[in-house]
């Protein structure tokens, strides 16, 4: 709201007064993006992605102008710029564009004039001068790209929580704030459902070693620093527990098991710009038939089913089963790389609490399980109780 915009302006002014050259990236106000999506859905359930970008990019432009006005009111020279004006160049992938480069010229010109530069997050410009957007949470990515381009000392991300927690504090009241976390751990947490930051922004920060300070917009307290990992971080086996309820599972039943089938299937899905997360293929039984299950973002489910339906003759028109009632539960910790037993503990805890596991995937520092969505919050609580609350048990003293 306007009071919070004025508070943000005062914080920016304080940083400017301390001698910093300041670039501010803003997101849309409150529920603006959701409201714009609701308007869209009242017109069509399958909008052109180009037109969706034209629509959704307007939310951030409102915020940039209002914050610049609020800064003017307290005698701070500021200018608001869109992604196009600041020179954030992207590929042509509407609604999920990737940043290809950032032009420093306009930024440096405005900073040289002593102005605060207020940039619309979440948006850029494609090869044909088309407006593009960077996916939900894309303002984080804008901020990290600008921080890298400017050689900033750090990128501060202001949000409605005091930092990164061991679990979602709204679901787990005893969740603890993490003071320092590695890029690797934060990337796994973000990609597994922690909504405090967009995963692509963490990937960029880690690649170029841009320190991030996630902190509350309401207080001056220190938050969570996301930095390069070090040996001390390996002392903690499990850093956090997450739930991602925005996933869906697709199962293809009794399809022909022949070389190249999986490749053809997932090539079609990839061509449609749909990311696949977990994949399980059963061993063929009763001849050359098998089942394949995989997960996608819930937002991509309808499109994924449509793409698969178009190639159904290639899989002999077998059943496609779509399931939205799932969630992905993950435990993450850099210490898991060199210590065993975490997976066994996770499966035992879920089993004792009568939570069935549908799918499992692992990486060096993450274990994920697909469970029924109705069990997601309980799964996070019992795993947090086991791994985080019993801190001494899962901290390796060296």
């Amino acid at each position: 709201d306007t009071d919070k915009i004025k508070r943000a302006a005062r914080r920016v002014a304080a940083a400017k007064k301390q001698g910093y050259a300041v670039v501010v990236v803003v997101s849309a106000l409150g529920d603006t993006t959701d409201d714009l999506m609701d308007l869209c859905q009242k017109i069509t359930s399958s909008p052109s992605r180009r037109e969706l970008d034209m629509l959704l990019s307007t939310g951030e432009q409102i915020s940039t102008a209002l914050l610049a006005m609020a800064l003017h009111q307290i005698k701070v020279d500021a200018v608001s710029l869109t992604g196009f004006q600041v020179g954030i160049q992207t590929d042509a992938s509407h609604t999920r564009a990737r940043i290809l480069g950032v032009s420093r010229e306009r930024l440096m010109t405005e900073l040289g004039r002593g102005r605060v530069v207020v940039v619309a997050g979440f948006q850029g410009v494609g090869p044909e001068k088309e407006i593009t957007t960077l996916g939900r949470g894309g303002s984080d990515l804008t901020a990290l790209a600008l921080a890298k381009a400017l050689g900033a000392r750090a990128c501060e991300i202001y949000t409605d929580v005091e930092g990164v927690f061991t679990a979602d504090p709204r679901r787990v009241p005893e969740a603890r704030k993490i003071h320092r976390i590695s890029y690797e751990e934060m990337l796994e947490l973000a990609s597994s459902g922690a909504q405090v930051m967009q995963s692509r922004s963490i990937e960029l920060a880690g690649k170029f070693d841009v320190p991030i300070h996630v902190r509350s917009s309401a207080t001056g307290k220190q938050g969570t620093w996301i930095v390069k990992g070090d040996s001390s971080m390996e002392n903690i086996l499990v850093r956090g527990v997450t739930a991602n309820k925005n996933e869906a599972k697709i199962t293809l039943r009794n399809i022909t098991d022949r070389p190249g089938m999986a490749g053809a299937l997932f090539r079609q899905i990839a061509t449609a710009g749909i990311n696949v997360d977990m994949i399980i293929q059963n061993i063929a039984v009763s001849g050359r038939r098998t089942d394949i299950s995989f997960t996608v973002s819930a937002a991509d489910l309808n499109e994924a089913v449509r793409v698969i339906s178009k190639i159904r003759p290639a899989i002999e028109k077998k059943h496609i089963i779509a399931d939205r009632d799932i969630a992905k539960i993950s435990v993450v910790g850099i210490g898991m790389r060199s210590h065993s037993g975490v997976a066994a503990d996770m499966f035992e805890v879920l089993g004792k609490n009568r939570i069935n596991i549908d799918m499992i995937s692992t990486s060096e520092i993450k274990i994920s399980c697909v469970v029924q969505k109705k069990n997601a919050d309980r799964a996070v609580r019992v795993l947090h109780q086991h791994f985080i609350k019993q801190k001494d048990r899962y901290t390796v003293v060296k």
Side-chain angles (χ1 to χ4, degrees):
D1 57 26
T2 53
D3 286 339
K4 290 178 181 177
I5 291 173
K6 291 175 182 177
R7 185 173 68 196
R10 291 193 294 271
R11 190 184 287 271
V12 172
K16 178 73 173 168
K17 191 174 181 180
Q18 292 172 31
Y20 290 105
V22 183
V23 176
V24 187
V25 175
V26 295
S27 295
L29 295 170
D31 296 324
T32 299
T33 303
D34 289 335
D35 292 342
L36 290 171
M37 280 299 302
D38 287 343
L39 284 173
C40 169
Q41 291 297 317
K42 290 176 181 177
I43 300 295
T44 173
S45 60
S46 54
S48 153
R49 287 187 172 182
R50 179 194 182 275
E51 301 307 332
L52 197 57
D53 277 355
M54 288 288 286
L55 176 67
L56 297 184
S57 62
T58 62
E60 278 67 21
Q61 292 177 56
I62 294 169
S63 298
T64 56
L66 290 174
L67 182 56
M69 292 174 188
L71 287 164
H72 295 161
Q73 283 296 104
I74 55 177
K75 311 302 181 188
V76 175
D77 194 8
V79 60
S80 64
L81 299 175
T82 65
F84 176 83
Q85 289 171 317
V86 84
I88 297 175
Q89 299 140 17
T90 76
D91 63 17
S93 303
H94 286 291
T95 73
R96 58 185 76 189
R98 300 191 70 84
I99 294 177
L100 302 179
V102 177
S103 172
R104 289 163 39 98
E105 185 177 354
R106 182 72 185 271
L107 283 169
M108 299 308 293
T109 297
E110 300 296 352
L111 291 173
R113 293 170 177 165
R115 289 174 164 174
V116 169
V117 183
V118 185
V119 179
F122 175 63
Q123 61 183 246
V125 58
E128 302 297 323
K129 307 299 181 186
E130 296 277 2
I131 292 174
T132 57
T133 64
L134 309 176
R136 294 302 289 262
S139 293
D140 293 344
L141 186 56
T142 303
L144 265 301
L146 294 180
K148 186 267 175 184
L150 294 167
R153 181 179 300 177
C155 180
E156 295 190 325
I157 302 288
Y158 289 91
T159 182
D160 57 354
V161 292
E162 290 186 5
V164 180
F165 283 73
T166 52
D168 186 339
R170 293 168 298 183
R171 297 189 178 107
V172 184
E174 62 269 28
R176 303 169 180 170
K177 184 170 73 176
I178 302 169
H179 297 288
R180 281 178 77 247
I181 187 170
S182 70
Y183 295 123
E184 283 183 279
E185 290 172 313
M186 191 63 231
L187 178 58
E188 293 284 20
L189 287 173
S191 63
S192 300
Q195 298 178 8
V196 69
M197 284 198 70
Q198 189 205 46
S199 59
R200 285 166 59 195
S201 66
I202 304 298
E203 186 178 357
L204 188 149
K207 182 177 180 180
F208 296 104
D209 194 16
V210 180
I212 304 171
H213 190 191
V214 181
R215 56 196 310 195
S216 170
S217 59
T219 73
K221 294 180 181 179
Q222 286 284 306
T224 299
W225 280 96
I226 306 172
V227 294
K228 187 181 294 185
D230 58 47
S231 58
S232 67
M233 292 182 178
E234 295 184 13
N235 293 346
I236 299 174
L237 294 193
V238 176
R239 181 73 70 172
V241 184
T242 64
N244 185 354
K245 296 182 180 180
N246 296 314
E247 294 221 351
K249 182 174 73 170
I250 296 174
T251 300
L252 306 181
R253 299 295 304 273
N254 200 29
I255 65 173
T256 303
D257 182 32
R258 66 169 183 262
M261 177 57 69
L265 168 66
F266 291 109
R267 172 55 59 197
Q268 291 291 328
I269 294 171
T271 300
I274 298 169
N275 289 324
V276 173
D277 186 6
M278 304 167 72
I279 304 172
I280 291 179
Q281 179 172 349
N282 294 334
I283 296 174
V285 293
S286 64
R288 298 181 60 81
R289 301 287 178 179
T290 188
D291 297 344
I292 297 179
S293 295
F294 57 93
T295 60
V296 297
S297 165
D300 288 332
L301 178 62
N302 290 341
E303 178 66 8
V305 170
R306 187 187 69 80
V307 169
I308 296 166
S309 296
K310 287 172 65 176
I311 59 171
R312 283 179 69 177
I315 57 174
E316 300 185 6
K317 299 183 179 180
K318 298 305 175 183
H319 296 297
I320 302 171
I321 302 171
D323 184 2
R324 292 181 179 273
D325 294 323
I326 66 158
K328 182 174 72 173
I329 310 300
S330 303
V331 296
V332 175
I334 202 169
M336 291 162 54
R337 179 176 289 151
S338 54
H339 296 87
S340 61
V342 176
D345 277 13
M346 181 179 185
F347 303 154
E348 285 179 359
V349 169
L350 293 175
K352 287 177 181 176
N353 286 274
R354 304 184 68 79
I355 298 172
N356 194 49
I357 299 171
D358 290 343
M359 302 173 75
I360 300 168
S361 73
T362 65
S363 72
E364 278 192 311
I365 65 170
K366 179 183 75 172
I367 303 165
S368 297
C369 297
V370 168
V371 302
Q372 289 297 296
K373 188 181 291 187
K374 65 182 181 182
N375 293 324
D377 288 349
R378 184 161 58 93
V380 170
R381 286 194 296 270
V382 297
L383 290 171
H384 190 277
Q385 170 79 20
H386 184 81
F387 286 113
I388 308 294
K389 203 167 182 184
Q390 299 184 52
K391 185 177 179 182
D392 294 340
R393 231 181 123 186
Y394 293 95
T395 300
V396 178
V397 180
K398 293 186 178 179

